[in-house]
Amino acid sequence: MSDHVTAWIAAYHDGELSGAQRQKVAAHLQTCSACQAELEALQELSRRLQEAPAPTPRLSEERFVSQVRLRMGPGPALPAWQRRLRLGWWLAPAGVIGLWAFGQAVLLISGWLITFLPELDQTMRLGSLVQASAWLQVGEGLALILVLELGLTFITTILLGGWLASWWITKS
Amino acid sequence: MFKTAAPDLDEQALISQAQSGDRPAFSELVRRHRQGVVNVVYRMCADVSLAEEAAQEAFIRTWQNLQRYNPHFAFRSWLYRIALNVALDTLRSEQQTRSLADLPLDEHPQAPDSSDPEVALERKERATQVRQAVLALPPASRAVLILREYEGMSYHEISTALDIPVGTVMSRLNYARSQVRLALSEGVLVV
């Protein structure tokens, strides 16, 4: 009796067993009338359940689909975190341009101070940006500012170009 | 030990398109799953009109929550989970506490045809008996039985659809089968 496979007969009937387990149950069923009877009862029940057939739809397929479409509303709602991420994504170019404009303004003011206020003492004239490089002459300071401006513009261009490329890839 | 289902690549493409707001793609998904969803809801609540209405509501909820769908699971399982939830909501809101004995015989929507009226009547009665035996089950066991016997879903798919372990699927299925067998063998409606 301990060899009965009662616990596995339903899974066997439902086609849920695979490999060795299925073979084991199949082999047992060949020799055990009790387990065979249980399997037949399950098969009979499945046949009996099919005697209650599916309903005949009252709405045609097209009418059903069109009624669903009428009630669909706007597109699928995004989860909150995805909405925040999407908003951040669309605001990213504005943020990059804003940072670029701020950097340009700072550099422009620094250049103006270096050029037009030579009478100020070293600290006030150059401000904190160049304080560590106080030994530079005015010309060297302007050259440094120019390099910084170019570098800032280059980095901004790369970031905006990358954003546009990924937008285009996503769109296409 | 138990088999798992492979994803349908064509369907995955439709789902991806629908997730980006493509209505025709979602309409195609509705066409593909309409009959299955209506059947599941109907077998839960035993009313075709109510089932079609609830099935539409299930598809609306699916559309609204499509971004939450995890493509690692079968779409059908996820859809049926929503449909079953809608069916249970409908049952609660409609206060469908009418006795099973109140279900009229001719409410059966698709009894097999027969030229012999006696045979036809007998088939109708047997079908009604089966339907009422299923309806007499607790909703949790009924859902498992419906998904397995009528929708042919695997234990794994049912487990995903109902968000329960496979072991619970097996135990609920065994319980449901034993109850239905008992009801049918007695030939008496369990109300």
Side-chain angles (χ1 to χ4, degrees):
Chain A
M1 291 297 280
S2 59
D3 289 338
H4 282 317
V5 289
T6 314
W8 298 108
I9 290 177
Y12 178 83
H13 166 69
D14 293 326
E16 291 284 340
L17 298 183
S18 55
Q21 191 72 40
R22 188 180 60 209
Q23 288 172 358
K24 185 181 170 189
V25 175
H28 177 79
L29 287 167
Q30 297 287 327
T31 57
C32 178
S33 57
C35 289
Q36 181 67 38
E38 177 63 19
L39 178 64
E40 284 169 4
L42 285 172
Q43 290 167 341
E44 172 57 23
L45 178 66
S46 290
R47 273 193 295 274
R48 191 76 208 277
L49 286 168
Q50 297 308 319
E51 289 178 6
T56 304
R58 296 191 179 180
L59 294 175
S60 69
E61 180 179 280
E62 280 315 307
R63 186 152 185 199
F64 183 93
V65 173
S66 61
Q67 284 188 1
V68 171
R69 290 188 72 158
L70 277 174
R71 295 172 59 194
M72 272 163 66
L78 290 172
W81 68 272
Q82 279 190 20
R83 282 201 299 274
R84 283 195 290 272
L85 195 67
R86 181 169 283 196
L87 182 65
W89 167 252
W90 287 109
L91 290 177
V96 169
I97 291 171
L99 283 173
W100 175 83
F102 177 75
Q104 289 292 331
V106 168
L107 291 171
L108 198 68
I109 291 168
S110 299
W112 184 80
L113 287 172
I114 289 170
T115 307
F116 296 108
L117 298 175
E119 71 281 1
L120 294 179
D121 69 2
Q122 192 84 348
T123 305
M124 285 190 65
R125 174 155 45 107
L126 300 176
S128 60
L129 176 67
V130 199
Q131 203 165 28
S133 315
W135 54 272
L136 287 174
Q137 298 297 317
V138 169
E140 290 171 332
L142 288 174
L144 178 64
I145 286 171
L146 182 65
V147 169
L148 288 172
E149 277 184 350
L150 288 172
L152 185 64
T153 304
F154 178 73
I155 291 168
T156 304
T157 306
I158 293 290
L159 287 172
L160 287 177
W163 185 90
L164 276 171
S166 60
W167 170 78
W168 184 79
I169 289 167
T170 309
K171 191 184 172 193
S172 61
Chain B
M1 181 185 302
F2 295 104
K3 297 173 183 173
T4 54
D8 182 340
L9 293 178
D10 183 33
E11 185 160 278
Q12 287 299 335
L14 281 173
I15 294 163
S16 297
Q17 289 169 13
Q19 281 178 320
S20 59
D22 187 331
R23 288 162 177 267
F26 187 73
S27 298
E28 179 57 29
L29 289 170
V30 174
R31 274 190 200 92
R32 289 187 181 195
H33 293 283
R34 176 187 70 120
Q35 190 64 55
V37 171
V38 171
N39 287 353
V40 166
V41 180
Y42 166 74
R43 293 193 190 281
M44 285 298 288
C45 64
D47 184 311
V48 182
S49 299
L50 207 60
E52 286 187 324
E53 205 172 297
Q56 286 184 2
E57 177 60 26
F59 281 115
I60 302 298
R61 286 193 199 175
T62 303
W63 168 253
Q64 288 167 345
N65 294 288
L66 208 49
Q67 296 289 348
R68 294 181 189 165
Y69 166 64
N70 182 350
H72 290 107
F73 300 106
F75 179 69
R76 189 170 72 141
S77 300
W78 186 67
L79 178 60
Y80 282 9
R81 177 194 293 199
I82 294 172
L84 285 166
N85 284 335
V86 173
L88 292 174
D89 289 349
T90 305
L91 283 172
R92 275 192 289 266
S93 64
E94 290 285 320
Q95 291 289 306
Q96 288 233 326
T97 49
R98 59 182 174 179
S99 163
L100 295 174
D102 292 342
L103 288 173
L105 271 180
D106 60 2
E107 191 179 342
H108 195 288
Q110 202 181 50
D113 291 332
S114 172
S115 54
D116 185 342
E118 277 189 24
V119 174
L121 182 63
E122 189 191 343
R123 283 182 181 172
K124 219 168 190 177
E125 282 176 350
R126 284 171 68 85
T128 303
Q129 203 177 28
V130 168
R131 198 158 52 100
Q132 291 183 338
V134 172
L135 283 171
L137 292 169
S141 305
R142 195 190 318 162
V144 173
L145 186 80
I146 289 167
L147 294 181
R148 174 59 228 159
E149 291 287 354
Y150 293 111
E151 296 306 313
M153 290 175 76
S154 68
Y155 292 175
H156 180 74
E157 287 176 309
I158 298 171
S159 156
T160 306
L162 301 177
D163 200 19
I164 54 176
V166 169
T168 308
V169 171
M170 294 172 74
S171 61
R172 285 186 188 173
L173 189 56
N174 284 338
Y175 172 77
R177 281 172 165 159
S178 64
Q179 290 300 107
V180 172
R181 274 165 72 176
L182 185 67
L184 293 177
S185 67
E186 288 174 349
V188 178
L189 300 181
V190 181
V191 181

Coordinates of all heavy atoms in Angstrom, one line a residue, chain A residues 107-158:
Chain A
L107 N 32.1 82.7 -16.0 CA 33.4 82.9 -16.7 C 33.4 84.3 -17.3 O 34.5 85.0 -17.3 CB 33.5 81.9 -17.8 CG 33.8 80.4 -17.2 CD1 33.7 79.4 -18.3 CD2 35.1 80.3 -16.5
L108 N 32.3 84.8 -17.9 CA 32.2 86.1 -18.5 C 32.5 87.2 -17.5 O 33.3 88.1 -17.7 CB 30.8 86.3 -19.1 CG 30.7 87.4 -20.1 CD1 31.5 87.1 -21.4 CD2 29.2 87.7 -20.5
I109 N 31.9 87.1 -16.3 CA 32.1 88.1 -15.2 C 33.6 88.0 -14.8 O 34.2 89.1 -14.5 CB 31.1 87.8 -14.1 CG1 29.7 88.1 -14.5 CG2 31.5 88.6 -12.9 CD1 28.6 87.7 -13.6
S110 N 34.1 86.8 -14.6 CA 35.5 86.7 -14.2 C 36.4 87.4 -15.2 O 37.4 88.1 -14.9 CB 35.9 85.2 -14.1 OG 35.1 84.6 -13.2
G111 N 36.2 87.2 -16.5 CA 37.0 87.8 -17.6 C 36.9 89.3 -17.5 O 37.9 90.0 -17.7
W112 N 35.6 89.8 -17.3 CA 35.4 91.2 -17.2 C 36.2 91.8 -16.0 O 36.8 92.9 -16.1 CB 33.9 91.5 -17.0 CG 33.5 92.9 -17.0 CD1 33.4 93.7 -18.1 CD2 33.3 93.7 -15.9 NE1 33.0 95.0 -17.8 CE2 32.9 95.0 -16.4 CE3 33.2 93.5 -14.5 CZ2 32.6 96.1 -15.5 CZ3 32.9 94.6 -13.7 CH2 32.6 95.8 -14.2
L113 N 36.2 91.1 -14.9 CA 36.9 91.6 -13.7 C 38.4 91.7 -13.9 O 39.0 92.6 -13.6 CB 36.6 90.7 -12.5 CG 35.2 90.8 -11.9 CD1 34.9 89.7 -10.9 CD2 35.0 92.2 -11.3
I114 N 38.9 90.6 -14.6 CA 40.3 90.6 -14.9 C 40.7 91.7 -15.8 O 41.8 92.4 -15.6 CB 40.7 89.2 -15.5 CG1 40.6 88.1 -14.4 CG2 42.1 89.2 -16.0 CD1 40.7 86.7 -15.0
T115 N 39.9 92.0 -16.8 CA 40.3 93.0 -17.8 C 40.1 94.4 -17.4 O 40.9 95.2 -17.6 CB 39.4 92.7 -19.1 OG1 39.6 91.3 -19.4 CG2 39.9 93.6 -20.2
F116 N 38.9 94.7 -16.8 CA 38.6 96.1 -16.5 C 38.8 96.6 -15.1 O 38.6 97.7 -14.8 CB 37.1 96.3 -16.9 CG 36.9 96.1 -18.4 CD1 36.2 95.0 -18.8 CD2 37.4 97.0 -19.3 CE1 36.0 94.8 -20.2 CE2 37.2 96.8 -20.7 CZ 36.5 95.6 -21.1
L117 N 39.1 95.7 -14.2 CA 39.4 96.2 -12.8 C 40.8 95.9 -12.3 O 41.0 95.2 -11.3 CB 38.3 95.6 -11.9 CG 36.9 96.0 -12.1 CD1 35.9 95.2 -11.2 CD2 36.6 97.5 -12.0
P118 N 41.8 96.3 -13.1 CA 43.2 96.0 -12.7 C 43.6 96.7 -11.4 O 44.6 96.3 -10.8 CB 44.0 96.4 -13.9 CG 43.2 97.5 -14.5 CD 41.8 97.2 -14.3
E119 N 42.9 97.8 -11.0 CA 43.3 98.5 -9.8 C 42.9 97.8 -8.5 O 43.5 98.1 -7.5 CB 42.8 99.9 -9.8 CG 41.3 100.1 -9.6 CD 40.4 99.8 -10.8 OE1 41.0 99.4 -11.9 OE2 39.2 99.8 -10.7
L120 N 42.0 96.8 -8.6 CA 41.6 96.1 -7.4 C 42.7 95.2 -6.9 O 43.5 94.8 -7.7 CB 40.3 95.3 -7.7 CG 39.0 96.1 -8.0 CD1 37.9 95.1 -8.2 CD2 38.7 97.0 -6.8
D121 N 42.7 95.0 -5.7 CA 43.8 94.1 -5.2 C 43.5 92.6 -5.7 O 42.5 92.3 -6.2 CB 43.9 94.1 -3.7 CG 42.7 93.5 -3.0 OD1 41.8 93.0 -3.6 OD2 42.7 93.5 -1.7
Q122 N 44.5 91.9 -5.6 CA 44.5 90.5 -6.1 C 43.3 89.7 -5.8 O 42.7 89.1 -6.6 CB 45.8 89.8 -5.7 CG 46.1 88.5 -6.4 CD 46.8 88.8 -7.7 OE1 47.0 89.9 -8.2 NE2 47.4 87.7 -8.3
T123 N 42.9 89.8 -4.5 CA 41.8 88.9 -4.0 C 40.5 89.3 -4.6 O 39.8 88.5 -5.2 CB 41.7 89.1 -2.5 OG1 43.0 88.7 -1.9 CG2 40.6 88.1 -1.9
M124 N 40.2 90.7 -4.6 CA 38.9 91.1 -5.1 C 38.8 91.0 -6.6 O 37.8 90.7 -7.2 CB 38.6 92.6 -4.7 CG 38.3 92.7 -3.2 SD 37.7 94.3 -2.8 CE 36.2 94.5 -3.8
R125 N 40.0 91.2 -7.2 CA 40.0 91.3 -8.7 C 39.7 89.9 -9.3 O 38.9 89.7 -10.2 CB 41.3 91.8 -9.2 CG 41.5 91.8 -10.6 CD 42.5 92.8 -11.1 NE 43.7 92.8 -10.3 CZ 44.9 92.4 -10.7 NH1 45.0 91.8 -11.8 NH2 45.9 92.5 -9.9
L126 N 40.3 88.9 -8.7 CA 40.2 87.6 -9.3 C 39.1 86.7 -8.7 O 38.7 85.8 -9.4 CB 41.5 86.9 -9.3 CG 42.6 87.7 -10.0 CD1 43.9 87.0 -9.9 CD2 42.3 87.8 -11.5
G127 N 38.7 87.1 -7.5 CA 37.6 86.3 -6.9 C 38.1 84.9 -6.5 O 39.3 84.5 -6.8
S128 N 37.2 84.1 -6.0 CA 37.6 82.8 -5.5 C 38.0 81.8 -6.6 O 38.8 80.9 -6.3 CB 36.5 82.2 -4.7 OG 35.4 82.1 -5.5
L129 N 37.5 82.1 -7.8 CA 37.8 81.1 -8.9 C 39.3 81.1 -9.2 O 39.8 80.0 -9.4 CB 37.0 81.6 -10.1 CG 37.2 80.8 -11.4 CD1 36.7 79.4 -11.2 CD2 36.6 81.5 -12.6
V130 N 39.9 82.2 -9.1 CA 41.3 82.3 -9.5 C 42.2 82.5 -8.3 O 43.4 82.6 -8.5 CB 41.5 83.4 -10.6 CG1 42.8 83.1 -11.4 CG2 40.4 83.4 -11.6
Q131 N 41.6 82.5 -7.2 CA 42.4 82.8 -6.0 C 43.6 81.8 -5.8 O 44.7 82.3 -5.5 CB 41.5 82.7 -4.7 CG 42.1 83.5 -3.6 CD 41.0 83.6 -2.5 OE1 40.1 82.8 -2.4 NE2 41.1 84.7 -1.7
A132 N 43.4 80.6 -6.2 CA 44.5 79.6 -6.0 C 45.5 79.9 -7.1 O 46.6 79.4 -7.0 CB 43.9 78.2 -6.1
S133 N 45.2 80.6 -8.1 CA 46.1 80.8 -9.2 C 46.5 82.3 -9.3 O 46.6 82.9 -10.4 CB 45.5 80.4 -10.5 OG 44.9 79.2 -10.4
A134 N 46.7 82.9 -8.2 CA 46.9 84.4 -8.2 C 48.2 84.8 -8.9 O 48.3 86.0 -9.3 CB 46.9 84.9 -6.7
W135 N 49.1 83.9 -9.1 CA 50.3 84.2 -9.7 C 50.2 84.5 -11.2 O 51.1 85.0 -11.9 CB 51.3 83.1 -9.5 CG 50.8 81.7 -9.9 CD1 50.1 80.9 -9.2 CD2 51.0 81.1 -11.2 NE1 49.8 79.7 -10.0 CE2 50.3 79.9 -11.2 CE3 51.6 81.6 -12.4 CZ2 50.3 79.1 -12.3 CZ3 51.6 80.7 -13.5 CH2 50.9 79.5 -13.5
L136 N 49.0 84.1 -11.8 CA 48.8 84.3 -13.2 C 48.7 85.7 -13.6 O 48.1 86.5 -12.9 CB 47.6 83.5 -13.7 CG 47.7 82.0 -13.8 CD1 46.3 81.5 -14.1 CD2 48.7 81.6 -14.8
Q137 N 49.2 86.1 -14.7 CA 49.0 87.5 -15.2 C 47.6 87.5 -15.9 O 47.0 86.5 -16.1 CB 50.1 87.8 -16.3 CG 51.5 87.7 -15.8 CD 51.8 88.8 -14.7 OE1 51.3 89.9 -14.8 NE2 52.4 88.4 -13.6
V138 N 47.2 88.7 -16.2 CA 45.8 88.9 -16.7 C 45.6 88.1 -18.0 O 44.6 87.5 -18.2 CB 45.6 90.5 -17.0 CG1 44.3 90.7 -17.8 CG2 45.5 91.2 -15.7
G139 N 46.6 88.2 -18.9 CA 46.5 87.5 -20.2 C 46.4 86.0 -20.0 O 45.5 85.3 -20.6
E140 N 47.2 85.5 -19.0 CA 47.1 84.0 -18.8 C 45.7 83.7 -18.2 O 45.1 82.6 -18.5 CB 48.2 83.6 -17.8 CG 49.6 83.7 -18.4 CD 50.7 83.5 -17.4 OE1 50.4 83.8 -16.2 OE2 51.7 82.9 -17.7
G141 N 45.2 84.6 -17.4 CA 43.9 84.4 -16.8 C 42.8 84.4 -17.8 O 41.9 83.5 -17.8
L142 N 42.9 85.3 -18.8 CA 41.9 85.3 -19.9 C 42.0 84.0 -20.7 O 41.0 83.4 -21.2 CB 42.1 86.5 -20.8 CG 41.6 87.8 -20.1 CD1 42.0 89.0 -21.1 CD2 40.1 87.8 -19.9
A143 N 43.2 83.5 -21.0 CA 43.4 82.3 -21.7 C 42.8 81.1 -21.0 O 42.1 80.3 -21.6 CB 44.9 82.1 -22.0
L144 N 43.0 81.1 -19.7 CA 42.4 80.0 -18.9 C 40.8 80.1 -19.0 O 40.2 79.0 -19.2 CB 42.8 80.2 -17.5 CG 42.2 79.1 -16.5 CD1 42.7 77.7 -16.9 CD2 42.6 79.4 -15.1
I145 N 40.3 81.3 -18.9 CA 38.8 81.4 -19.0 C 38.3 80.9 -20.4 O 37.3 80.2 -20.5 CB 38.4 82.9 -18.8 CG1 38.6 83.2 -17.2 CG2 37.0 83.2 -19.2 CD1 38.4 84.6 -16.9
L146 N 39.1 81.3 -21.4 CA 38.7 80.8 -22.8 C 38.7 79.3 -22.9 O 37.7 78.7 -23.4 CB 39.7 81.4 -23.8 CG 39.3 81.1 -25.3 CD1 38.0 81.7 -25.7 CD2 40.4 81.6 -26.2
V147 N 39.7 78.7 -22.3 CA 39.8 77.2 -22.3 C 38.6 76.6 -21.6 O 37.9 75.7 -22.0 CB 41.1 76.7 -21.7 CG1 41.1 75.2 -21.5 CG2 42.3 77.1 -22.6
L148 N 38.3 77.2 -20.4 CA 37.2 76.7 -19.6 C 35.8 76.9 -20.4 O 35.0 76.0 -20.3 CB 37.1 77.5 -18.3 CG 38.2 77.1 -17.3 CD1 38.1 78.1 -16.1 CD2 38.0 75.7 -16.8
E149 N 35.7 78.0 -21.0 CA 34.5 78.2 -21.8 C 34.3 77.2 -22.9 O 33.2 76.6 -23.1 CB 34.5 79.6 -22.5 CG 34.0 80.7 -21.5 CD 34.0 82.1 -22.2 OE1 34.4 82.2 -23.3 OE2 33.4 83.0 -21.6
L150 N 35.4 76.9 -23.6 CA 35.4 75.9 -24.7 C 35.1 74.5 -24.1 O 34.3 73.8 -24.7 CB 36.7 75.9 -25.5 CG 37.0 77.2 -26.4 CD1 38.4 77.1 -26.9 CD2 35.9 77.2 -27.5
G151 N 35.7 74.2 -23.0 CA 35.5 72.9 -22.4 C 34.1 72.7 -22.0 O 33.4 71.7 -22.2
L152 N 33.5 73.8 -21.4 CA 32.1 73.8 -20.9 C 31.2 73.6 -22.1 O 30.2 72.8 -22.0 CB 31.8 75.1 -20.1 CG 30.4 75.1 -19.5 CD1 30.3 74.1 -18.4 CD2 30.2 76.5 -18.9
T153 N 31.4 74.3 -23.2 CA 30.6 74.2 -24.3 C 30.7 72.8 -25.0 O 29.7 72.2 -25.4 CB 31.0 75.3 -25.4 OG1 30.9 76.6 -24.8 CG2 30.1 75.3 -26.6
F154 N 31.9 72.3 -25.0 CA 32.1 71.0 -25.6 C 31.3 69.9 -24.8 O 30.6 69.1 -25.3 CB 33.6 70.6 -25.6 CG 33.9 69.3 -26.1 CD1 33.8 69.0 -27.4 CD2 34.3 68.2 -25.2 CE1 34.1 67.7 -27.9 CE2 34.6 67.0 -25.7 CZ 34.5 66.7 -27.0
I155 N 31.5 70.0 -23.5 CA 30.8 69.0 -22.6 C 29.3 69.1 -22.8 O 28.5 68.1 -22.9 CB 31.2 69.1 -21.1 CG1 32.6 68.7 -20.9 CG2 30.3 68.3 -20.2 CD1 33.2 69.1 -19.6
T156 N 28.8 70.3 -22.8 CA 27.3 70.6 -23.0 C 26.8 70.0 -24.3 O 25.8 69.4 -24.4 CB 27.0 72.1 -22.9 OG1 27.5 72.6 -21.7 CG2 25.5 72.4 -23.0
T157 N 27.6 70.2 -25.4 CA 27.3 69.7 -26.7 C 27.2 68.2 -26.7 O 26.2 67.6 -27.2 CB 28.3 70.2 -27.7 OG1 28.4 71.6 -27.7 CG2 27.8 69.8 -29.2
I158 N 28.2 67.6 -26.0 CA 28.2 66.1 -26.0 C 26.9 65.6 -25.2 O 26.3 64.6 -25.7 CB 29.4 65.6 -25.2 CG1 30.7 65.9 -26.0 CG2 29.4 64.1 -24.9 CD1 30.9 65.1 -27.3

